[in-house]
Amino acid sequence: MDQPRSMRDVGIREERLAMLCLPHVAPLNLLVQDLHARSGSGFISRDNDDPTAEATYRFMVQVRLHRESTILWNVVPGWNGTRKITGPEHRAGVVAAIELTRLLPKLKIVVLVGNKAARSLPLIESAGFKVMVSDHPSPIVRATRRDRWDAIPEA
C-alpha cells in the first residue's frame, strides 16, 4: 500500500519488517543495528503515522521523487528525548551519515531538510557531495512560515 500514514496498518508494518531481510538492504540494516546499539532510533519512513511523514510523502509525490531512488535519514539518528541537539550528538550524526553514504555508490545528491540538518552542510560538502537545503515539512513550519512551506517542493 503506497499512501501516506500507511505504517499505522499492522499488516504494512509486518510486511516492511519482513523486507528488512532482503539482501540489497542488508548493509543498511547492519549500519542501523550498529547505530541502534549507540542509541539510534532506527529507520524513519515517509509512511509513518504523523503529519511530518505525511507531508514528506505528499511533497515527494508532487515532485515525482520516487521512493525507489531515495533514502531518508536523520542527520542525528538517535533521539535524546528533546528537540535540542548537542554539538557532540550532531558531530556523531554527521559521522554516521557519512558512513551511510559509503553504502550508496550511486548517491548523486544529499538534501538537508530543516535547520538542524542544514548545520551539517559544510561537513557533508567537505565529504564531496552535492548538497541542497530545504525547510522541514513539519506542522510548525507550515503554521509559522507558510511561504517557506510552500517552497519545499521547489527545494
Side-chain angles (χ1 to χ4, degrees):
M1 176 173 10
D2 191 16
Q3 65 184 29
R5 298 184 180 227
S6 59
M7 293 294 273
R8 71 178 133 204
D9 181 292
V10 174
I12 294 294
R13 289 195 305 272
E14 289 172 355
E15 179 182 303
R16 295 290 173 83
L17 282 172
M19 292 171 71
L20 292 177
C21 300
L22 296 174
H24 74 284
V25 294
L28 292 173
N29 286 317
L30 288 174
L31 177 59
V32 169
Q33 288 170 11
D34 179 50
L35 291 172
H36 191 68
R38 295 185 255 161
S39 300
S41 57
F43 287 113
I44 60 172
S45 174
R46 71 197 86 210
D47 300 326
N48 283 348
D49 188 16
D50 65 76
T52 299
E54 180 177 357
T56 299
Y57 179 98
R58 293 188 186 286
F59 284 139
M60 293 178 93
V61 166
Q62 180 180 344
V63 299
R64 295 182 179 94
L65 191 54
H66 303 286
R67 76 172 57 243
E68 294 83 9
S69 60
T70 63
I71 184 169
L72 303 180
W73 189 265
N74 279 323
V75 169
V76 179
W79 184 49
N80 65 13
T82 73
R83 292 183 62 201
K84 295 185 185 215
I85 304 300
T86 68
E89 288 171 328
H90 182 254
R91 284 188 292 282
V94 171
V95 168
I98 291 172
E99 286 178 50
L100 169 69
T101 64
R102 292 186 186 124
L103 300 175
L104 304 169
K106 295 180 182 179
L107 181 67
K108 294 181 182 171
I109 190 164
V110 174
V111 181
L112 299 172
V113 178
N115 292 333
K116 290 181 177 99
R119 290 178 25 208
S120 306
L121 179 70
L123 296 168
I124 301 292
E125 281 183 328
S126 72
F129 295 100
K130 181 178 178 183
V131 183
M132 296 180 70
V133 178
S134 169
D135 277 289
H136 197 280
S138 72
I140 294 170
V141 172
R142 184 177 186 184
T144 62
R145 294 174 291 241
R146 186 57 191 241
D147 58 325
R148 291 170 58 175
W149 168 273
D150 291 339
I152 289 173
E154 186 176 325

